[in-house]
């Protein structure tokens, strides 16, 4: 084993290839520099390109390791103009195809109100307004997934900013749900027509304190 120096309990250089045998039991209470409560722990990412009609995480995307999760999405661009950004839940061993509920509300920078809502749809809308395919018009936002492994009928918050297909930049907030008692184990994202030209979706677990 090659080791250059140990100072105040810190090993400067250690050649792991020379380690053999079994490590002794470790007292977890003495470990330091672990993620603190509230830390976002990266878990998965999926990237859309111009061949993607939809993207989804590797399921099951949630576990009991974390109580709450966050999905960050950015640079989402459709290949076609004037389309909606959609979501679906995987519940009870299948993609849910009915009873999506959502409500979105926002304002453009010139004061125009834009809303979107439904109590029953075959897919859910992730934002209010429709998307433009221009390179500078990518949408970004966040989905806050509260207690996904403990509660059916999830009601999750969405916050986003975008340049709509027609108009000025806008911000949007909303709630998404599927009126289905099964726990959500995966999510799928798509647009209402054509492919996604680009898009990044990243899943984080929020470490409990």
């Amino acid at each position: 084993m090659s080791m250059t120096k140990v100072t105040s309990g810190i090993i400067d250089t250690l050649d792991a290839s020379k380690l053999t045998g079994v490590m002794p039991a470790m007292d977890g209470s003495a470990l330091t520099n672990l993620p603190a409560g509230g830390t976002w722990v990266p878990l998965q990412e999926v990237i859309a390109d111009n061949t993607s009609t939809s993207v989804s995480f590797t399921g099951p995307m949630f576990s009991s390791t974390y109580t709450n999760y966050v999905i960050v999405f950015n640079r989402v661009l459709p290949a076609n103009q004037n389309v909606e950004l959609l979501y679906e839940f995987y519940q009870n061993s299948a993609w849910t195809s009915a009873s999506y509920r959502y409500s979105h509300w926002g304002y453009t920078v010139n004061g125009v109100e834009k809303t979107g809502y439904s109590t029953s749809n075959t897919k859910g809308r992730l934002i209010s307004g429709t998307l433009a395919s221009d390179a500078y018009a990518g949408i970004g936002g966040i989905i806050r997934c509260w207690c996904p492994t403990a509660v059916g009928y999830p009601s999750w918050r969405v916050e986003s900013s975008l340049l709509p297909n027609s108009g000025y930049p806008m911000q949007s907030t909303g709630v998404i749900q599927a009126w289905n008692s099964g726990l959500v184990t995966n999510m799928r994202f798509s647009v209402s027509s054509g492919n996604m030209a680009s898009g990044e979706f990243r899943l984080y677990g929020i470490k409990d304190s």
Side-chain angles (χ1 to χ4, degrees), residues 63-130:
S63 74
S64 58
T65 302
Y66 307 99
T67 303
N68 301 304
Y69 291 77
V70 168
I71 299 170
V72 175
F73 57 96
N74 57 44
R75 299 180 59 82
V76 179
L77 280 170
N80 298 334
Q81 291 277 17
N82 198 28
V83 297
E84 300 171 351
L85 181 59
L86 307 174
Y87 72 91
E88 297 169 88
F89 289 148
Y90 196 82
Q91 298 173 282
N92 301 319
S93 302
W95 291 105
T96 298
S97 58
S99 302
Y100 284 99
R101 296 179 169 188
Y102 54 84
S103 174
H104 301 289
W105 171 84
Y107 270 99
T108 63
V109 295
N110 65 328
V112 176
E113 182 181 24
K114 291 184 177 289
T115 62
Y117 55 88
S118 176
T119 58
S120 182
N121 213 338
T122 55
K123 292 183 180 180
R125 288 182 62 178
L126 197 61
I127 60 165
S128 58
T130 56

Coordinates of all heavy atoms in Angstrom, one line a residue, residues 63-130:
S63 N -38.1 6.4 -4.0 CA -37.9 5.4 -3.0 C -38.1 6.0 -1.6 O -38.2 7.2 -1.5 CB -36.5 4.7 -3.1 OG -35.5 5.6 -2.6
S64 N -38.1 5.2 -0.6 CA -38.2 5.7 0.8 C -37.0 6.4 1.3 O -37.0 6.9 2.4 CB -38.6 4.5 1.7 OG -37.6 3.5 1.7
T65 N -35.9 6.4 0.5 CA -34.7 7.1 0.9 C -34.9 8.5 1.2 O -34.3 9.1 2.2 CB -33.6 6.9 -0.1 OG1 -33.3 5.5 -0.4 CG2 -32.3 7.6 0.4
Y66 N -35.8 9.2 0.4 CA -36.1 10.6 0.6 C -37.6 10.8 0.7 O -38.4 10.1 0.1 CB -35.5 11.4 -0.6 CG -34.1 11.2 -0.9 CD1 -33.7 10.3 -1.9 CD2 -33.1 11.8 -0.1 CE1 -32.3 10.0 -2.1 CE2 -31.7 11.5 -0.4 CZ -31.4 10.6 -1.4 OH -30.0 10.4 -1.6
T67 N -38.0 11.8 1.5 CA -39.4 12.1 1.6 C -39.9 12.9 0.5 O -41.0 12.7 -0.1 CB -39.6 12.8 3.0 OG1 -39.2 12.0 4.0 CG2 -41.1 13.1 3.1
N68 N -39.1 13.9 0.0 CA -39.5 14.8 -1.0 C -38.4 14.8 -2.1 O -37.2 14.5 -1.9 CB -39.6 16.2 -0.5 CG -40.6 16.3 0.6 OD1 -41.8 15.9 0.4 ND2 -40.2 16.8 1.8
Y69 N -38.9 15.1 -3.3 CA -38.0 15.1 -4.5 C -38.3 16.4 -5.3 O -39.3 17.0 -5.2 CB -38.3 13.9 -5.4 CG -37.9 12.5 -4.8 CD1 -38.7 11.9 -3.8 CD2 -36.8 11.9 -5.3 CE1 -38.3 10.7 -3.3 CE2 -36.4 10.7 -4.7 CZ -37.2 10.1 -3.8 OH -36.8 8.9 -3.2
V70 N -37.3 16.7 -6.2 CA -37.4 17.8 -7.1 C -37.0 17.4 -8.5 O -36.0 16.6 -8.7 CB -36.5 19.0 -6.6 CG1 -36.4 20.1 -7.7 CG2 -37.1 19.6 -5.3
I71 N -37.7 17.8 -9.5 CA -37.4 17.6 -10.9 C -37.1 19.0 -11.5 O -37.9 19.9 -11.4 CB -38.5 16.9 -11.7 CG1 -38.8 15.5 -11.1 CG2 -38.1 16.8 -13.2 CD1 -40.0 14.9 -11.7
V72 N -35.9 19.2 -12.0 CA -35.5 20.4 -12.7 C -35.5 20.1 -14.2 O -34.8 19.2 -14.6 CB -34.1 20.9 -12.2 CG1 -33.7 22.1 -13.0 CG2 -34.1 21.2 -10.7
F73 N -36.2 21.0 -14.9 CA -36.1 20.8 -16.4 C -35.7 22.1 -17.0 O -36.0 23.2 -16.5 CB -37.5 20.4 -17.0 CG -38.7 21.2 -16.6 CD1 -39.1 22.2 -17.5 CD2 -39.4 21.1 -15.4 CE1 -40.2 23.0 -17.2 CE2 -40.4 21.9 -15.1 CZ -40.9 22.9 -16.0
N74 N -34.9 22.1 -18.1 CA -34.5 23.3 -18.8 C -34.1 23.0 -20.2 O -34.1 21.8 -20.6 CB -33.3 23.9 -18.1 CG -32.1 23.0 -17.9 OD1 -31.7 22.2 -18.8 ND2 -31.5 23.0 -16.7
R75 N -34.0 24.0 -21.0 CA -33.7 24.0 -22.4 C -34.6 23.1 -23.2 O -34.3 22.4 -24.1 CB -32.2 23.5 -22.6 CG -31.2 24.4 -22.0 CD -29.8 23.9 -22.3 NE -29.5 23.8 -23.7 CZ -29.1 24.8 -24.5 NH1 -29.0 26.0 -24.0 NH2 -28.9 24.6 -25.7
V76 N -35.9 23.0 -22.7 CA -36.9 22.2 -23.4 C -37.4 23.0 -24.6 O -38.0 24.1 -24.5 CB -38.1 21.9 -22.5 CG1 -39.1 21.0 -23.2 CG2 -37.6 21.1 -21.2
L77 N -37.2 22.4 -25.8 CA -37.7 23.0 -27.0 C -38.4 22.0 -27.9 O -37.9 20.9 -28.0 CB -36.5 23.5 -27.9 CG -35.9 24.9 -27.5 CD1 -34.6 25.1 -28.3 CD2 -36.9 26.0 -27.8
P78 N -39.6 22.3 -28.4 CA -40.3 21.4 -29.3 C -39.7 21.6 -30.7 O -39.1 22.6 -31.1 CB -41.7 21.9 -29.3 CG -41.6 23.4 -29.0 CD -40.4 23.6 -28.2
A79 N -39.9 20.5 -31.6 CA -39.5 20.6 -33.0 C -40.5 21.5 -33.7 O -40.2 22.1 -34.8 CB -39.4 19.2 -33.6
N80 N -41.8 21.5 -33.3 CA -42.8 22.2 -34.0 C -43.2 23.4 -33.1 O -43.1 23.5 -31.9 CB -44.1 21.3 -34.2 CG -43.8 20.1 -35.1 OD1 -42.9 20.2 -35.9 ND2 -44.5 19.1 -34.9
Q81 N -43.8 24.4 -33.8 CA -44.3 25.6 -33.2 C -45.7 25.3 -32.5 O -46.5 24.5 -32.9 CB -44.5 26.7 -34.2 CG -43.2 27.3 -34.7 CD -42.6 28.3 -33.8 OE1 -42.9 28.4 -32.6 NE2 -41.6 29.1 -34.3
N82 N -46.0 26.1 -31.5 CA -47.4 26.2 -30.9 C -47.9 24.9 -30.4 O -48.9 24.4 -30.7 CB -48.3 26.7 -32.0 CG -49.6 27.2 -31.4 OD1 -49.7 27.7 -30.2 ND2 -50.7 27.2 -32.2
V83 N -47.1 24.2 -29.6 CA -47.4 22.9 -29.0 C -47.4 23.1 -27.4 O -46.8 24.0 -26.9 CB -46.5 21.8 -29.4 CG1 -46.5 21.6 -30.9 CG2 -45.0 22.1 -29.0
E84 N -48.0 22.1 -26.8 CA -48.1 22.1 -25.3 C -47.1 21.1 -24.8 O -46.7 20.1 -25.4 CB -49.5 21.6 -24.9 CG -50.6 22.5 -25.4 CD -52.0 21.9 -25.1 OE1 -52.1 20.7 -24.7 OE2 -53.0 22.6 -25.3
L85 N -46.6 21.4 -23.6 CA -45.7 20.5 -22.9 C -46.5 19.7 -21.9 O -47.2 20.2 -21.1 CB -44.6 21.3 -22.1 CG -43.6 20.5 -21.3 CD1 -42.8 19.6 -22.2 CD2 -42.6 21.5 -20.6
L86 N -46.4 18.3 -22.1 CA -47.3 17.4 -21.4 C -46.5 16.5 -20.4 O -45.3 16.3 -20.5 CB -48.0 16.5 -22.4 CG -48.8 17.3 -23.5 CD1 -49.3 16.3 -24.5 CD2 -49.9 18.1 -22.9
Y87 N -47.3 16.0 -19.4 CA -46.7 15.0 -18.5 C -47.6 13.8 -18.3 O -48.9 14.0 -18.6 CB -46.4 15.7 -17.1 CG -47.7 15.9 -16.3 CD1 -48.3 15.0 -15.5 CD2 -48.4 17.1 -16.5 CE1 -49.4 15.3 -14.8 CE2 -49.6 17.4 -15.8 CZ -50.1 16.5 -14.9 OH -51.2 16.7 -14.2
E88 N -47.1 12.7 -17.9 CA -47.8 11.5 -17.6 C -47.2 10.8 -16.4 O -46.0 10.9 -16.2 CB -47.8 10.5 -18.8 CG -48.5 11.0 -20.0 CD -48.2 10.1 -21.2 OE1 -49.0 9.1 -21.4 OE2 -47.2 10.3 -21.9
F89 N -48.1 10.2 -15.6 CA -47.6 9.4 -14.4 C -47.7 7.9 -14.7 O -48.6 7.4 -15.4 CB -48.5 9.7 -13.2 CG -48.3 11.1 -12.7 CD1 -49.4 11.7 -12.1 CD2 -47.1 11.7 -12.7 CE1 -49.3 13.0 -11.5 CE2 -47.0 13.0 -12.1 CZ -48.1 13.6 -11.5
Y90 N -46.7 7.2 -14.2 CA -46.7 5.7 -14.2 C -47.3 5.3 -12.8 O -46.7 5.5 -11.8 CB -45.3 5.1 -14.4 CG -45.3 3.7 -14.8 CD1 -45.6 3.3 -16.1 CD2 -45.1 2.7 -13.9 CE1 -45.6 2.0 -16.5 CE2 -45.1 1.4 -14.2 CZ -45.3 1.0 -15.5 OH -45.3 -0.3 -15.9
Q91 N -48.5 4.7 -12.8 CA -49.1 4.3 -11.6 C -49.8 2.9 -11.8 O -50.3 2.6 -12.9 CB -50.2 5.2 -11.2 CG -49.8 6.7 -10.9 CD -50.9 7.6 -10.8 OE1 -51.5 8.1 -11.7 NE2 -51.3 7.9 -9.5
N92 N -49.7 2.1 -10.8 CA -50.4 0.7 -10.9 C -49.9 -0.1 -12.1 O -50.7 -0.7 -12.8 CB -51.9 0.9 -10.9 CG -52.4 1.6 -9.7 OD1 -52.0 1.3 -8.5 ND2 -53.4 2.5 -9.9
S93 N -48.6 0.0 -12.3 CA -47.9 -0.8 -13.4 C -48.3 -0.4 -14.8 O -48.2 -1.2 -15.7 CB -48.2 -2.3 -13.2 OG -47.8 -2.8 -11.9
A94 N -48.8 0.8 -15.0 CA -49.1 1.3 -16.3 C -49.1 2.8 -16.4 O -49.2 3.5 -15.4 CB -50.5 0.8 -16.7
W95 N -48.9 3.3 -17.6 CA -49.0 4.8 -17.8 C -50.5 5.2 -17.7 O -51.3 4.7 -18.4 CB -48.4 5.2 -19.1 CG -46.9 5.0 -19.2 CD1 -46.2 4.1 -19.8 CD2 -45.9 5.9 -18.5 NE1 -44.9 4.2 -19.6 CE2 -44.7 5.3 -18.8 CE3 -46.0 7.0 -17.7 CZ2 -43.5 5.9 -18.4 CZ3 -44.8 7.5 -17.2 CH2 -43.6 7.0 -17.5
T96 N -50.8 6.1 -16.8 CA -52.1 6.6 -16.6 C -52.6 7.3 -17.8 O -51.9 8.2 -18.3 CB -52.2 7.4 -15.3 OG1 -51.9 6.6 -14.2 CG2 -53.6 8.0 -15.1
S97 N -53.8 7.0 -18.3 CA -54.2 7.6 -19.6 C -55.5 8.4 -19.4 O -56.2 8.6 -20.4 CB -54.4 6.5 -20.7 OG -55.3 5.5 -20.2
A98 N -55.9 8.7 -18.2 CA -57.1 9.5 -18.0 C -57.1 10.2 -16.6 O -56.2 9.9 -15.8 CB -58.3 8.5 -18.0
S99 N -58.0 11.1 -16.4 CA -58.2 11.8 -15.2 C -57.1 12.6 -14.7 O -56.8 12.8 -13.5 CB -58.5 10.7 -14.1 OG -59.7 10.0 -14.4
Y100 N -56.3 13.3 -15.6 CA -55.3 14.2 -15.2 C -56.0 15.5 -14.9 O -56.8 16.0 -15.6 CB -54.3 14.4 -16.3 CG -53.3 13.3 -16.5 CD1 -53.5 12.3 -17.4 CD2 -52.2 13.2 -15.6 CE1 -52.6 11.2 -17.5 CE2 -51.3 12.1 -15.7 CZ -51.5 11.2 -16.6 OH -50.7 10.1 -16.7
R101 N -55.5 16.1 -13.8 CA -56.0 17.4 -13.3 C -54.8 18.4 -13.2 O -53.8 18.0 -12.7 CB -56.7 17.2 -11.9 CG -57.9 16.4 -11.9 CD -58.5 16.2 -10.5 NE -59.9 15.6 -10.6 CZ -60.7 15.6 -9.5 NH1 -60.3 16.0 -8.3 NH2 -61.8 15.0 -9.6
Y102 N -55.0 19.6 -13.6 CA -54.0 20.6 -13.5 C -54.6 22.0 -13.5 O -55.7 22.2 -14.0 CB -53.0 20.4 -14.6 CG -53.6 20.4 -16.0 CD1 -53.8 21.6 -16.7 CD2 -53.9 19.2 -16.7 CE1 -54.4 21.6 -17.9 CE2 -54.5 19.2 -17.9 CZ -54.7 20.4 -18.6 OH -55.3 20.5 -19.8
S103 N -53.8 22.9 -13.0 CA -54.2 24.3 -13.0 C -52.9 25.1 -13.0 O -52.1 24.9 -12.2 CB -55.0 24.7 -11.8 OG -55.3 26.0 -11.7
H104 N -52.8 26.0 -14.1 CA -51.7 26.8 -14.2 C -52.1 28.3 -14.4 O -53.1 28.6 -15.0 CB -50.9 26.4 -15.4 CG -50.4 25.0 -15.4 ND1 -49.4 24.5 -14.5 CD2 -50.8 23.8 -16.0 CE1 -49.2 23.2 -14.6 NE2 -50.0 22.8 -15.5
W105 N -51.3 29.2 -13.9 CA -51.6 30.6 -14.0 C -50.3 31.4 -14.1 O -49.3 31.0 -13.5 CB -52.3 31.0 -12.7 CG -52.5 32.5 -12.5 CD1 -53.5 33.3 -13.1 CD2 -51.7 33.4 -11.8 NE1 -53.4 34.6 -12.7 CE2 -52.3 34.7 -11.9 CE3 -50.6 33.2 -11.0 CZ2 -51.7 35.8 -11.3 CZ3 -50.0 34.3 -10.4 CH2 -50.6 35.6 -10.5
G106 N -50.3 32.4 -14.9 CA -49.1 33.2 -15.1 C -49.4 34.5 -15.8 O -50.5 34.7 -16.3
Y107 N -48.4 35.4 -15.8 CA -48.4 36.7 -16.5 C -47.2 36.8 -17.4 O -46.1 36.4 -17.1 CB -48.4 37.8 -15.5 CG -49.8 38.2 -15.0 CD1 -50.3 37.7 -13.8 CD2 -50.6 39.1 -15.8 CE1 -51.6 38.1 -13.4 CE2 -51.8 39.5 -15.3 CZ -52.3 39.0 -14.1 OH -53.6 39.4 -13.7
T108 N -47.4 37.4 -18.6 CA -46.3 37.8 -19.4 C -45.8 39.1 -18.9 O -46.4 39.8 -18.0 CB -46.8 38.0 -20.9 OG1 -47.8 39.1 -20.9 CG2 -47.4 36.8 -21.4
V109 N -44.6 39.5 -19.4 CA -44.0 40.7 -18.8 C -44.7 42.0 -19.2 O -44.5 43.1 -18.6 CB -42.5 40.8 -19.3 CG1 -41.7 39.7 -18.7 CG2 -42.4 40.9 -20.8
N110 N -45.6 41.9 -20.2 CA -46.5 43.1 -20.5 C -47.9 43.0 -19.9 O -48.8 43.7 -20.3 CB -46.5 43.3 -22.0 CG -47.3 42.1 -22.7 OD1 -47.2 41.0 -22.3 ND2 -47.9 42.4 -23.8
G111 N -48.0 42.1 -18.9 CA -49.2 42.1 -18.1 C -50.4 41.3 -18.6 O -51.5 41.4 -18.2
V112 N -50.2 40.4 -19.6 CA -51.2 39.5 -20.1 C -51.3 38.3 -19.3 O -50.3 37.6 -19.1 CB -51.0 39.2 -21.6 CG1 -52.1 38.2 -22.1 CG2 -51.0 40.5 -22.5
E113 N -52.5 38.0 -18.8 CA -52.7 36.8 -18.0 C -52.9 35.6 -18.9 O -53.7 35.6 -19.9 CB -53.9 37.0 -17.1 CG -54.2 35.8 -16.1 CD -55.4 36.0 -15.3 OE1 -56.3 36.8 -15.7 OE2 -55.5 35.4 -14.2
K114 N -52.3 34.5 -18.5 CA -52.5 33.2 -19.2 C -52.8 32.1 -18.2 O -52.1 32.0 -17.2 CB -51.2 32.9 -20.1 CG -51.0 33.8 -21.2 CD -49.8 33.3 -22.1 CE -49.6 34.3 -23.3 NZ -50.7 34.1 -24.3
T115 N -53.8 31.3 -18.5 CA -54.2 30.3 -17.6 C -54.5 29.0 -18.4 O -54.7 29.0 -19.6 CB -55.5 30.6 -16.8 OG1 -56.6 30.8 -17.8 CG2 -55.3 31.9 -16.0
G116 N -54.5 27.9 -17.7 CA -54.8 26.6 -18.3 C -55.2 25.7 -17.2 O -54.6 25.6 -16.1
Y117 N -56.3 24.9 -17.4 CA -56.8 24.0 -16.3 C -57.7 22.9 -16.9 O -58.2 23.0 -18.0 CB -57.6 24.8 -15.3 CG -58.7 25.6 -15.8 CD1 -60.0 25.1 -16.0 CD2 -58.6 26.9 -16.3 CE1 -61.1 25.8 -16.5 CE2 -59.6 27.7 -16.8 CZ -60.9 27.1 -16.9 OH -61.9 27.8 -17.5
S118 N -57.8 21.9 -16.1 CA -58.7 20.7 -16.5 C -58.9 19.9 -15.3 O -58.1 19.8 -14.4 CB -58.0 19.9 -17.6 OG -58.8 18.7 -17.9
T119 N -60.1 19.3 -15.2 CA -60.4 18.3 -14.2 C -60.3 16.9 -14.7 O -60.4 15.9 -13.9 CB -61.8 18.6 -13.6 OG1 -62.8 18.5 -14.6 CG2 -61.9 19.9 -12.9
S120 N -60.2 16.7 -16.0 CA -60.1 15.3 -16.5 C -59.6 15.4 -17.9 O -60.2 15.9 -18.9 CB -61.5 14.7 -16.5 OG -61.4 13.3 -17.0
N121 N -58.3 14.9 -18.1 CA -57.7 14.9 -19.4 C -56.9 13.6 -19.6 O -56.5 13.0 -18.6 CB -56.8 16.2 -19.6 CG -56.8 16.7 -21.0 OD1 -57.1 15.9 -22.0 ND2 -56.5 17.9 -21.2
T122 N -56.7 13.3 -20.9 CA -55.9 12.0 -21.1 C -54.4 12.2 -20.8 O -53.7 11.2 -20.6 CB -56.1 11.6 -22.6 OG1 -55.7 12.6 -23.4 CG2 -57.6 11.2 -22.8
K123 N -53.9 13.4 -20.9 CA -52.6 13.7 -20.5 C -52.6 15.1 -19.7 O -53.6 15.8 -19.9 CB -51.6 13.8 -21.7 CG -51.3 12.5 -22.4 CD -50.3 12.7 -23.5 CE -50.1 11.4 -24.2 NZ -49.1 11.5 -25.3
G124 N -51.6 15.3 -18.9 CA -51.6 16.6 -18.2 C -50.7 17.6 -18.8 O -49.7 17.3 -19.5
R125 N -51.1 18.9 -18.7 CA -50.3 20.0 -19.2 C -49.4 20.4 -18.1 O -49.8 20.7 -17.0 CB -51.2 21.1 -19.7 CG -51.9 20.9 -21.0 CD -52.7 22.1 -21.4 NE -51.9 23.2 -21.7 CZ -52.4 24.4 -22.2 NH1 -53.7 24.5 -22.4 NH2 -51.5 25.4 -22.4
L126 N -48.1 20.6 -18.4 CA -47.1 21.0 -17.4 C -47.0 22.5 -17.2 O -46.6 23.0 -16.2 CB -45.8 20.4 -17.8 CG -44.7 20.4 -16.7 CD1 -45.2 19.4 -15.6 CD2 -43.4 19.9 -17.3
I127 N -47.5 23.3 -18.2 CA -47.4 24.7 -18.1 C -48.6 25.4 -18.7 O -49.4 24.7 -19.4 CB -46.1 25.3 -18.8 CG1 -46.2 24.9 -20.3 CG2 -44.9 24.8 -18.2 CD1 -45.3 25.7 -21.2
S128 N -48.8 26.7 -18.5 CA -49.8 27.4 -19.3 C -49.2 28.0 -20.5 O -48.0 28.3 -20.5 CB -50.4 28.5 -18.4 OG -49.4 29.4 -18.0
G129 N -50.0 28.1 -21.6 CA -49.4 28.7 -22.8 C -48.8 27.6 -23.7 O -48.7 26.4 -23.2
T130 N -48.5 27.9 -24.9 CA -47.9 27.0 -25.8 C -46.5 27.4 -26.1 O -46.1 28.5 -26.0 CB -48.7 26.9 -27.1 OG1 -48.8 28.2 -27.7 CG2 -50.1 26.3 -26.9

